[in-house]
Amino acid sequence: MKKLRSLVEKIQRKEIPLTQEAVRNEIRDILGVRIVTSFIDDVYMLKEHIEQREDIRMIRVKDYIQDPKMSGYKSLHLIVETQVILSNEIIWVPAEIQIRTSAMDFWASTDHKLNYKYQGETIPEDAQKQLIELAKASSLMDKEMSRLRTKLLAN
């Protein structure tokens, strides 16, 4: 669950009116889960599985694996509504599911820790370039591991 401070900062940054309806419509990641897999193919297999569930509605897909962010960040983000059964009603709650490989998760976690120091400031350009190069190396490792998996399972 998103921490209150983070939620308030996002509401202020996006200039969202402080009403339940506005926040519900504009902030889709108050609840979230991250799933870490070993292989890229597993990311998309899980997406297909989630799409087939009756208790989850897919709202939007953000595929940062096929279209990485400028920083090099990769992950598959599913914006969903999930069914919550209460004693007297069923409600649909917005949530975000992030699915990524171990290599993507390591890069994203480390990038976040390094960037946290520079919150509100610009990270030095040489460090930004190095992070992008490390993201490319991480992506290459994912691809090679997938090739190795295919090779080993084919025999």
Side-chain angles (χ1 to χ4, degrees):
M1 192 160 171
K2 188 178 281 296
K3 292 180 179 159
L4 183 58
R5 181 178 182 177
S6 176
L7 179 60
V8 170
E9 288 171 357
K10 190 169 192 174
I11 289 168
Q12 291 171 341
R13 187 175 63 250
K14 290 184 151 209
E15 298 179 354
I16 298 168
L18 284 176
T19 66
Q20 184 178 4
E21 184 178 349
V23 170
R24 181 178 164 80
N25 290 334
E26 297 294 324
I27 310 284
R28 307 301 278 178
D29 64 345
I30 293 173
L31 298 174
V33 64
R34 181 173 299 133
I35 302 169
V36 180
T37 68
S38 296
F39 301 100
I40 296 171
D41 290 347
D42 295 342
V43 170
Y44 293 102
M45 182 265 311
L46 282 165
K47 174 188 174 275
E48 289 176 19
H49 174 73
I50 291 166
E51 287 175 322
Q52 294 172 11
R53 294 184 57 100
E54 293 180 9
D55 60 344
I56 296 178
R57 296 177 185 157
M58 191 71 64
I59 303 299
R60 185 172 59 231
V61 176
K62 296 179 187 177
D63 192 339
Y64 298 117
I65 297 172
Q66 296 299 317
D67 188 22
K69 290 187 176 186
M70 295 272 300
S71 65
Y73 175 83
K74 288 187 171 194
S75 183
L76 183 68
H77 292 207
L78 309 177
I79 309 301
V80 302
E81 288 183 330
T82 184
Q83 194 178 65
V84 176
I85 301 170
L86 303 175
S87 61
N88 60 343
E89 66 179 322
I90 297 173
I91 61 171
W92 290 88
V93 177
E96 181 177 62
I97 302 170
Q98 296 178 359
I99 312 171
R100 58 176 73 147
T101 65
S102 300
M104 291 173 200
D105 190 57
F106 172 75
W107 185 90
S109 312
T110 305
D111 176 71
H112 179 74
K113 288 173 190 163
L114 295 173
N115 278 295
Y116 188 77
K117 176 184 176 191
Y118 289 93
Q119 196 170 30
E121 298 177 29
T122 304
I123 295 172
E125 189 175 332
D126 62 325
Q128 288 177 358
K129 288 180 182 177
Q130 189 172 6
L131 283 167
I132 291 169
E133 289 304 312
L134 290 167
K136 290 176 185 175
S138 175
S139 182
L140 180 61
M141 186 173 75
D142 268 337
K143 290 175 185 169
E144 289 300 315
M145 291 300 263
S146 290
R147 283 191 198 111
L148 181 59
R149 174 190 189 184
T150 301
K151 179 181 175 181
L152 292 174
L153 294 180
N155 294 330

